[in-house]
Amino acid sequence: MKRFYKEAGTAAMEGGWQVTLDGRKVKTQGGKQQIVPSAALAAALADEWAAQDEEIDPGTFVLRDLADYALDVVEADRAAVVATLLRYGETDTLCYRAEPDEPLHTRQIAVWEPLLKAAEARWDVHFERISGIIHRPQPAETLKRLESVLTAHDAFTLAALNTLASLSASLNIALAAIEPGADIAALWDAAELEADWQVEQWGEDHEATSRRERRLAAFTAAARFAELARV
């Protein structure tokens, strides 16, 4: 699609802010008015439009897609999105460790255990640690508490969490990533610990490295989206 506008801007609206293209208000892909909660997020969305060349590249609208997901999907059925996120808590990658006599287990303890203990302290819950890949249910009380934590978040934060959790296979990493001052690079390294371990053992694969970089960019963008939405 060719660029059809000259200027991207923002305007204050009832309930938030909205991107304008030559003064026309932008809508979501689902046809709703794309009203976001902060001027900072609206400005970042406008920057995506302003950065387009003569041909619009849909793949560069990372923040817009997250905003549309929040408005078109999350707001339509928050309970379903919360239920999806809870599944990442039930099978959180931080809880599944190698066998204790394996070298990988030592690194998992060093990197993952502090994150899991911090989550337990923050939410006053307990997570079962599992050696191996056989699923073991998490305590019902833990999942109930996590559900209340998720339900308290707005649609834009839930949209960010959906991306963060799916990329990291961890609800705990996702929740840590939306905390103010979060070390996003360290959290991503924790999420990729096992993949990086395999690279150390068997060597680097160019395609896998490129995929990791793309996934890191998406993870970083989702964390930034959550931050911008609450500014």
Side-chain angles (χ1 to χ4, degrees):
M1 177 189 297
K2 290 192 176 296
R3 178 166 171 159
F4 56 87
Y5 56 92
K6 293 182 178 179
E7 187 174 70
T10 65
M13 310 294 297
E14 183 178 354
W17 294 77
Q18 192 165 9
V19 175
T20 59
L21 302 177
D22 295 339
R24 298 189 297 273
K25 300 169 189 174
V26 168
K27 293 185 178 182
T28 68
Q29 295 173 73
K32 298 179 66 174
Q33 294 295 323
Q34 194 196 63
I35 299 174
V36 300
S38 73
L41 179 54
L45 292 168
D47 287 345
E48 288 186 334
W49 286 99
Q52 298 300 310
D53 293 323
E54 291 185 7
E55 290 287 334
I56 292 176
D57 181 1
T60 60
F61 286 97
V62 179
L63 300 178
R64 182 202 65 178
D65 289 346
L66 283 164
D68 287 357
Y69 185 87
L71 294 166
D72 291 338
V73 179
V74 181
E75 288 196 348
D77 195 345
R78 290 172 57 89
V81 175
V82 167
T84 296
L85 286 167
L86 272 178
R87 287 197 284 273
Y88 291 106
E90 294 171 356
T91 60
D92 200 298
T93 193
L94 299 184
C95 297
Y96 286 83
R97 318 283 174 79
E99 297 295 339
D101 60 344
E102 297 180 18
L104 175 59
H105 183 267
T106 301
R107 186 174 300 184
Q108 290 169 330
I109 293 296
V111 176
W112 288 355
E113 192 64 15
L115 292 173
L116 207 54
K117 285 184 175 178
E120 289 177 324
R122 184 181 301 121
W123 311 122
D124 189 23
V125 296
H126 169 73
F127 288 96
E128 292 288 335
R129 280 73 163 168
I130 299 100
S131 292
I133 60 173
I134 302 301
H135 174 69
R136 184 188 303 169
Q138 293 297 332
E141 297 82 2
T142 295
L143 296 176
K144 184 176 180 180
R145 173 64 175 136
L146 290 175
E147 182 178 18
S148 69
V149 168
L150 293 170
T151 301
H153 284 302
D154 62 32
F156 290 84
T157 303
L158 290 174
L161 286 170
N162 182 71
T163 294
L164 293 164
S166 64
L167 287 169
S168 65
S170 169
L171 180 57
N172 284 303
I173 287 178
L175 287 168
I178 65 169
E179 289 293 311
D183 187 338
I184 300 304
L187 288 170
W188 181 248
D189 285 344
E192 290 287 286
L193 184 149
E194 291 179 327
D196 291 344
W197 174 267
Q198 292 299 321
V199 169
E200 291 178 19
Q201 307 311 304
W202 306 107
E204 186 172 6
D205 176 81
H206 177 71
E207 185 176 337
T209 299
S210 296
R211 181 172 177 270
R212 188 189 197 280
E213 291 173 353
R214 292 194 300 271
R215 286 161 52 81
L216 171 57
F219 187 85
T220 304
R224 177 173 176 247
F225 178 85
E227 181 181 15
L228 289 170
R230 65 173 177 257
V231 172

